[in-house]
Amino acid sequence: MTGSSTPTSDTTTTSTSAPDHRMVPYFDEMTSIEVGKAIEDNAVILISLGATEQHGGHLPLGADTMQGIELARRTVAKLHAEGHPAIVGPAIPFGPRGFLSETPIKLPGNVNFSAQTFMLVLEEIGREIIEQGFRRLYFLGFHAESDAPMQIVAKKLCETTEANVVTLNWLVGARPRYSKYMEAKAQDGHGGEGETCRMLATAPHLCRMHLAEPWHPTPRDDRPDADNLPYLGGGVGRYKMAEPYFEGFKSGITGDPQLATAERGELVYDLMTGWLVDVIRHDLSGTEDYSRAEL
């Protein structure tokens, strides 16, 4: 790890001191009466979209789902501090199959949906929640492959129900400031420094740091502008990578998780939470009139 100083938290939210996010209940921990009260209060509901997949030898299979619930809890805590009713909705612990451009080999532990099945499940869950009376739903993506499918489902639910369904991709929202929290200068990604920082803040007892191994791809140095996958804010959907991109790939991760610290995980969560709260606050300050919606 380098000797650079740790940056201070940088969020744009202006909320007052938030309650302890660890005390915010997850949907499964709530009672029917508590959910009913949230509906009466016109509460925002955050539905995190996770996965069950390998994250190298050092992180658990449910890392995406755990981080999604963690971020939802932190966001709800800050919304509560500002007086906005909100709850942590149910999490989906399975996602679409991984991109071959991220993991080209099969590794044990992955339990995936096809994209079609994932969209059906997400739509069914969304409709159940909307039929109960929720009108502001946020799909919080924490599995890259869920980004495009969740947009399709959100669009359909907006067109066919009275609810407003919004998708949140923090990878794009927090990206302009995210890199300054990382020590590594080489490419970081799945199971790497950033994700390991967050898991050390979320569930340190599940991180096997003695098994953390670095791996970095061998990309070409003549890439065109915006040559990144769309979920990273790029304009090129390249889902297979030619050799020698994956030379030496075996651990299933991209980056250097050995550089991760829980302290920087907390700072990154602050950044991500600030962006989510800004988006939701903006929505809550607008009109409730969707009379022109196509129903």
Side-chain angles (χ1 to χ4, degrees), residues 128-256:
E128 286 281 322
I129 289 171
I130 292 166
E131 287 176 4
Q132 291 180 25
F134 285 100
R135 290 296 178 265
R136 290 186 181 273
L137 283 66
Y138 287 86
F139 292 161
L140 175 56
F142 239 98
H143 178 59
E145 289 80 358
S146 299
D147 186 57
M150 75 176 179
Q151 293 180 43
I152 294 171
V153 173
K155 177 177 180 290
K156 184 175 182 180
L157 291 175
C158 283
E159 291 172 345
T160 59
T161 75
E162 296 179 359
N164 191 18
V165 184
V166 178
T167 65
L168 296 167
N169 179 354
W170 65 267
L171 282 163
V172 175
R175 193 172 181 82
R177 291 165 285 164
Y178 189 94
S179 61
K180 75 179 185 181
Y181 292 90
M182 299 296 105
E183 294 283 354
K185 304 306 177 187
Q187 183 175 335
D188 184 67
H190 180 73
E193 179 187 1
E195 189 160 20
T196 304
C197 281
R198 297 192 301 272
M199 281 303 295
L200 285 171
T202 300
H205 61 292
L206 297 178
C207 300
R208 293 81 159 170
M209 294 305 294
H210 64 288
L211 297 177
E213 297 180 346
W215 178 83
H216 298 287
T218 308
R220 291 173 55 178
D221 57 8
D222 59 347
R223 295 168 64 188
D225 291 341
D227 190 355
N228 273 317
L229 283 165
Y231 78 86
L232 293 173
V236 181
R238 185 177 289 110
Y239 302 105
K240 289 183 179 180
M241 306 299 286
E243 295 295 347
Y245 185 87
F246 280 108
E247 184 176 356
F249 182 84
K250 61 178 181 178
S251 66
I253 66 98
T254 299
D256 190 350

Side-chain angles (χ1 to χ4, degrees), residues 8 71 83 93 97 170 221 224 235 255 272:
T8 57
L71 183 55
R97 297 186 180 99
W170 65 267
D221 57 8
M272 296 158 62

Side-chain angles (χ1 to χ4, degrees), residues 13-26 44 46 68-89 269-270 273-274 276-277 280-281:
T13 181
T14 57
S15 64
T16 58
S17 178
D20 188 344
H21 69 274
R22 292 168 295 185
M23 302 304 293
V24 174
Y26 167 54
V44 166
L46 278 76
I69 295 172
E70 177 83 358
L71 183 55
R73 278 187 160 130
R74 290 170 183 256
T75 302
V76 166
K78 290 205 171 188
L79 290 170
H80 285 176
E82 296 186 3
H84 300 303
I87 67 169
V88 178
Y269 269 130
D270 284 348
T273 302
L276 262 65
V277 170
I280 296 171
R281 185 195 301 116

Side-chain angles (χ1 to χ4, degrees), residues 268-290:
V268 168
Y269 269 130
D270 284 348
L271 171 63
M272 296 158 62
T273 302
W275 178 73
L276 262 65
V277 170
D278 283 346
V279 172
I280 296 171
R281 185 195 301 116
H282 172 80
D283 290 352
L284 292 173
S285 68
T287 177
E288 293 271 5
D289 184 5
Y290 303 117

